[in-house]
C-alpha cells in the first residue's frame, strides 16, 4: 500500500479505470457474439443491423483506448467478410 497521498490516488484511479475497461470490453464481446448468432441463424437483415452495431462498438472501443486501432480494423474486416459470405450464399 502506498504511503504518499498522490500514489494512493493513482491506485484508486487505476482501479476505477480497470473496472471501466473490463465492462466496456465485455460489452464489446457481447455485441460481437450477438452478431455471430445472427449470422449462424442466416438472417441477413438482423445480421446487417448487428454488423453495424458491432462496427460502431469497435470504433468506440478504439476511441476509449480499450483496443488498438489495427485490432479493431482486423475484427471489422473479418466480421464484414463473414457477412459478405452469408449474403453470397443467400443470393
Amino acid at each position: 500500500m502506498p504511503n504518499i497521498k498522490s500514489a494512493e490516488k493513482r491506485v484508486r484511479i487505476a482501479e476505477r479505470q480497470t473496472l471501466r475497461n473490463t465492462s466496456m470490453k465485455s460489452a464489446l464481446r457481447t455485441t460481437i457474439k450477438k452478431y455471430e448468432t445472427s449470422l449462424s441463424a442466416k438472417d441477413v437483415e438482423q445480421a446487417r443491423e448487428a454488423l453495424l452495431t458491432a462496427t460502431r462498438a469497435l470504433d468506440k472501443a478504439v476511441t476509449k483506448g480499450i483496443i488498438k486501432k489495427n485490432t479493431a480494423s482486423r475484427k471489422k474486416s473479418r466480421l464484414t467478410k463473414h457477412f459478405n459470405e452469408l449474403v453470397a450464399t443467400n443470393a
Side-chain angles (χ1 to χ4, degrees), residues 10-31 57-58 60-68:
R10 293 304 305 167
V11 168
R12 289 194 307 268
I13 291 171
E15 288 172 353
R16 195 167 54 225
Q17 289 173 338
T18 302
L19 283 174
R20 182 193 66 140
N21 290 345
T22 52
S23 93
M24 287 192 72
K25 203 162 198 173
S26 174
L28 177 64
R29 285 195 205 106
T30 303
T31 306
L58 285 165
K60 194 170 191 177
V62 170
T63 60
K64 300 294 183 187
I66 306 299
I67 58 175
K68 292 187 176 181

Side-chain angles (χ1 to χ4, degrees), residues 18-57:
T18 302
L19 283 174
R20 182 193 66 140
N21 290 345
T22 52
S23 93
M24 287 192 72
K25 203 162 198 173
S26 174
L28 177 64
R29 285 195 205 106
T30 303
T31 306
I32 292 173
K33 280 183 186 175
K34 285 181 182 178
Y35 168 71
E36 290 170 349
T37 55
S38 64
L39 267 184
S40 62
K42 299 190 188 296
D43 185 5
V44 177
E45 287 305 314
Q46 187 178 3
R48 180 175 283 125
E49 290 295 322
L51 176 62
L52 288 174
T53 306
T55 303
R56 223 175 282 127

Side-chain angles (χ1 to χ4, degrees), residues 82-91:
H82 293 309
F83 177 75
N84 289 339
E85 289 171 359
L86 174 69
V87 171
T89 58
N90 285 348

